[in-house]
Amino acid sequence: MNGLRVVPVSRHGQERLYVCLTDGSNIAWYDREAARINLIRDDRREDVLEALRSFVTGPVAVGPPPVPTPAELARLSLHPDDDLAPNRPGEALLIDLDRDPPPAHRLRTDPRRRALAAERTVGEALDRLDGAGWHTLHSVPLPGGDRVHHLAVGPAGLFAVHAVHARRQRVRIADPMVALGRRAPEPLLRRVRADADRASYALTAEVHPVLALVGPAEVTVTAPPRATRILTDAGLPDLARLGGVLKPADVEALHAMARDRGTWARV
């Protein structure tokens, strides 16, 4: 026995195996996804490899921990209260409903609940792109009480996605007007583009506006929207099929910048 123990730890969906001394201090960790054993104490290399022998599958790299990238350093220095990454889809609506719940015997569904359902559906679809090199932030606050429903950052660029509940409704679009069912048309596309413009200003990078319609019965476009994508929730995975314009390091750097609440205070 070499006095080392292996402790599995799962953080942010990633599992690592830490190799610890008897006093609990770490001297190495095994990152299965990266297939790498990171040594903090090289003088215990053989002991670490022996401790991890039954856990390692396939070839692995062994060496000192990699130097943190600027994006990683920015994330590590970010105060938890200023980190937007933990926001759930519809976070702002969840807080609003908790503070001001609808009457218990209301005859009609509170429109906030329909909006929340739409944001959850869109948010979950975007979160599933994570394995393709994407990151999504939800309920990004803007000064004045506005917010970007979802900000998706990936190889194809940055997208400000506005979710709309359109379940079993006919949607008619004539830029900038959007009409849902029998309701009067509203200049919704103007707002979607304005939110994307504010995000572009905050991040000093082009952000593309997207209107995401959740569950529409039919979508009719009589005047093609200017520089705005119109997608249904089922079509959101198409974003991952667009041509790549950002390198992985650029995606990480923009995501690190966007998750900082302070980034949005100046827009």
Side-chain angles (χ1 to χ4, degrees), residues 11 44 48 113 139 166 186-187 201 209 220 231-232 235 242 254-255:
R11 292 176 181 170
R44 298 296 299 270
V48 167
R113 294 200 180 279
S139 269
E186 298 180 4
Y201 180 80
T220 303
L231 298 173
T232 65
L242 298 177
L254 285 165
H255 177 245

Side-chain angles (χ1 to χ4, degrees), residues 154-190:
L158 297 99
F159 298 85
V161 184
H162 188 94
V164 173
H165 186 277
R167 189 74 61 189
R168 295 193 295 272
Q169 297 182 77
R170 181 184 175 189
V171 182
R172 302 180 305 281
I173 299 173
D175 193 7
M177 310 303 286
V178 177
L180 299 173
R182 297 181 180 179
R183 280 181 272 176
E186 298 180 4
L188 182 57
L189 294 181
R190 195 172 293 158

Side-chain angles (χ1 to χ4, degrees), residues 89 115-129 136 138 149-150 161-165 210-215 231-234 236 239:
L116 175 59
E119 290 191 40
R120 279 176 165 167
T121 298
V122 170
E124 289 167 1
L126 292 172
D127 284 341
R128 285 194 288 271
L129 300 181
T136 302
H138 309 289
H149 290 181
H150 313 278
V161 184
H162 188 94
V164 173
H165 186 277
V210 177
L211 179 67
L213 302 168
V214 176
L231 298 173
T232 65
D233 54 296
L236 286 169
L239 292 177

Side-chain angles (χ1 to χ4, degrees), residues 3-62:
L4 301 181
R5 59 193 180 96
V6 177
V7 180
V9 176
S10 180
R11 292 176 181 170
H12 308 296
Q14 295 181 330
E15 184 180 343
R16 290 179 175 178
L17 296 173
Y18 284 86
V19 181
C20 306
L21 297 171
T22 53
D23 63 1
S25 58
N26 301 322
I27 63 170
W29 73 87
Y30 171 38
D31 187 336
R32 277 200 176 104
E33 186 175 337
R36 180 180 177 85
I37 296 174
N38 297 282
L39 293 170
I40 298 174
R41 285 185 48 179
D42 191 64
D43 63 310
R44 298 296 299 270
R45 174 187 290 255
E46 296 305 321
D47 292 337
V48 167
L49 294 178
E50 178 63 29
L52 289 172
R53 189 180 305 281
S54 61
F55 299 96
V56 173
T57 56
V60 295
V62 181

Side-chain angles (χ1 to χ4, degrees), residues 68-77 249 251-257 259:
T69 64
E72 290 170 333
L73 289 174
R75 175 179 59 81
L76 292 171
S77 64
V251 172
E252 295 300 325
L254 285 165
H255 177 245
M257 184 179 181
R259 67 191 291 176

Side-chain angles (χ1 to χ4, degrees), residues 70-72 74-75 78-87 134-143 147-154 157-160 195-196 198-207 246 249-267:
E72 290 170 333
R75 175 179 59 81
L78 186 60
H79 191 281
D81 290 344
D82 292 327
D83 189 359
L84 300 176
N87 278 8
W134 288 74
H135 296 295
T136 302
L137 298 170
H138 309 289
S139 269
V140 177
L142 300 173
R147 62 193 174 90
V148 175
H149 290 181
H150 313 278
L151 181 74
V153 188
L158 297 99
F159 298 85
D195 289 347
R198 294 176 76 181
S200 295
Y201 180 80
L203 300 171
T204 62
E206 185 177 11
V207 178
L246 295 178
D250 297 328
V251 172
E252 295 300 325
L254 285 165
H255 177 245
M257 184 179 181
R259 67 191 291 176
D260 184 350
R261 188 182 301 275
T263 297
W264 305 95
R266 61 176 183 266
V267 298

Side-chain angles (χ1 to χ4, degrees), residues 87-99 112 116 119 138-141 145-149:
N87 278 8
R88 300 160 293 178
E91 182 79 23
L93 289 169
L94 286 164
I95 293 173
D96 190 43
L97 284 165
D98 185 58
R99 290 176 177 170
R112 293 175 297 175
L116 175 59
E119 290 191 40
H138 309 289
S139 269
V140 177
D146 295 329
R147 62 193 174 90
V148 175
H149 290 181

